[in-house]
Amino acid sequence: DHCDKCQDTGYIGQTKCSCYRKKLIDVYHMTSDFNDLIKEYTFDKFKLALYGKEASEFPVSPRDNMTHILASVMSYLRTFKETQTNLLFYGSPGTGKTFLSSCIAKDLLDKGNLVIYRTSDGLIQNLKEIKFNDNFELLELLMNCDLLIIDDLGTELTTDFSKVELFNFLNSKLLRKKKLLVSTNLTIEDIKKKYDERIYSRLVGDFTLYKFIGDDLRIQKNHERIRKTLG
C-alpha cells in the first residue's frame, strides 16, 4: 500500500506516520502464531453456556462469575483509550483465560490499536534478545504497544535472569502507564512463592484481578465433539 502522507518513509518530519503503526502491526502479526488464535477465539464464538450454573466450592457459579468478568471486559474495551487499568486473569487451566484474552486482542486490533501477544516464555526470550543483541526496535514495540498480553505466566523457565528482567520490564511498563493483560494458571499464593516480592506486589497491587473458575472447557468441548461423532 502506498501512503501519500509520508511517501512511504514512515515519518512526517520527526513524527511517525499513522501508516508506520499499521505496518508494524502487519509485520508483527505475519511472524506470530497469534494469527490463528484471533481467528479462532472471538467474542461471537464465546459460549457462556459451557460454564456450569451450579455453585460448588465458590459462592458464585462459574456462569455467574464469567458473566461478571465479561461485563467488566466490555466496559474496559469501551473506555480503553481513557483507562489505565491492567488486567490479571488467573485460575485453573481450560477456564477461558486465553480465549478471553484473544477476544480482547481481536476487538482492539479491529479498532486500530497495536496489541502484542506473548507467552511468558516468548517474552523472556525477547528480553534476552533485547539485552544481549541490543534489539531496540523490539524493545520499542513491547514497551510502547497499546496493550501487551502476557499469556501463561509461570510456564517460563524461572531463573535469576528471568526474574530480574521480568521485574524491570513490568516496572518500566507500569511507570510509563502502558497497559498489560497477564494470564496465569497459578494461584495468587503460587505467584508469591514462584516470584520475588517485587513482582508479586506489582501483579497484585497494580492489576485488577479476575479469578476464572469452572471445569476444563477444552475437555467438555472434546466430549461434545465425540458425542456428535458417535450420535
Side-chain angles (χ1 to χ4, degrees), residues 41-226:
Y41 293 171
T42 54
F43 279 119
D44 56 345
K45 292 180 184 171
F46 196 94
K47 292 188 174 72
L48 257 180
L50 285 172
Y51 290 85
K53 287 195 281 190
E54 304 301 318
S56 52
E57 73 262 47
F58 300 102
V60 293
S61 71
R63 192 173 303 178
D64 286 345
N65 182 62
M66 185 45 71
T67 303
H68 162 70
I69 292 174
L70 272 176
S72 301
V73 161
M74 291 307 179
S75 165
Y76 171 80
L77 288 171
R78 276 194 302 276
T79 59
F80 182 76
K81 291 281 190 221
E82 297 79 48
T83 187
Q84 294 301 332
T85 306
N86 303 295
L87 307 177
L88 177 66
F89 292 170
Y90 72 104
S92 50
T95 46
K97 300 182 297 295
T98 297
F99 198 131
L100 194 54
S101 300
S102 171
C103 293
I104 290 169
K106 175 84 168 69
D107 185 274
L108 291 172
L109 281 166
D110 286 348
K111 292 173 185 162
N113 296 287
L114 177 52
V115 179
I116 292 189
Y117 169 94
R118 281 287 182 261
T119 61
S120 62
D121 189 53
L123 177 65
I124 296 300
Q125 296 311 318
N126 282 174
L127 295 179
K128 278 185 183 166
E129 163 78 10
I130 289 162
K131 189 172 179 70
F132 298 119
N133 296 331
D134 296 334
N135 189 335
F136 297 119
E137 193 169 63
L138 180 59
L139 179 62
E140 152 92 2
L141 210 55
L142 293 174
M143 197 53 76
N144 294 321
C145 56
D146 297 310
L147 180 67
L148 176 67
I149 297 174
I150 306 172
D151 197 23
D152 259 350
L153 185 77
T155 54
E156 77 283 359
L157 189 65
T158 314
T159 61
D160 288 343
F161 172 86
S162 69
K163 281 185 193 173
V164 168
E165 292 304 314
L166 184 62
F167 171 76
N168 289 339
F169 180 71
L170 288 176
N171 202 39
S172 296
K173 291 277 288 182
L174 293 168
L175 287 172
R176 292 179 192 203
K177 299 194 168 6
K178 297 294 181 183
K179 291 187 276 279
L180 291 144
L181 190 174
V182 175
S183 80
T184 181
N185 293 335
L186 299 173
T187 63
I188 297 299
E189 296 74 37
D190 288 342
I191 292 173
K192 195 170 193 174
K193 281 184 210 143
K194 188 172 177 73
Y195 297 102
D196 62 30
E197 189 65 41
R198 299 183 309 164
I199 291 177
Y200 169 78
S201 70
R202 288 294 181 280
L203 290 172
V204 175
D206 291 282
F207 286 69
T208 303
L209 275 54
Y210 292 101
K211 185 177 176 67
F212 284 58
I213 59 174
D215 298 323
D216 192 323
L217 303 182
R218 286 173 288 222
I219 294 171
Q220 277 175 252
K221 281 181 185 163
N222 279 341
H223 284 173
E224 270 181 31
R225 235 174 266 133
I226 291 162

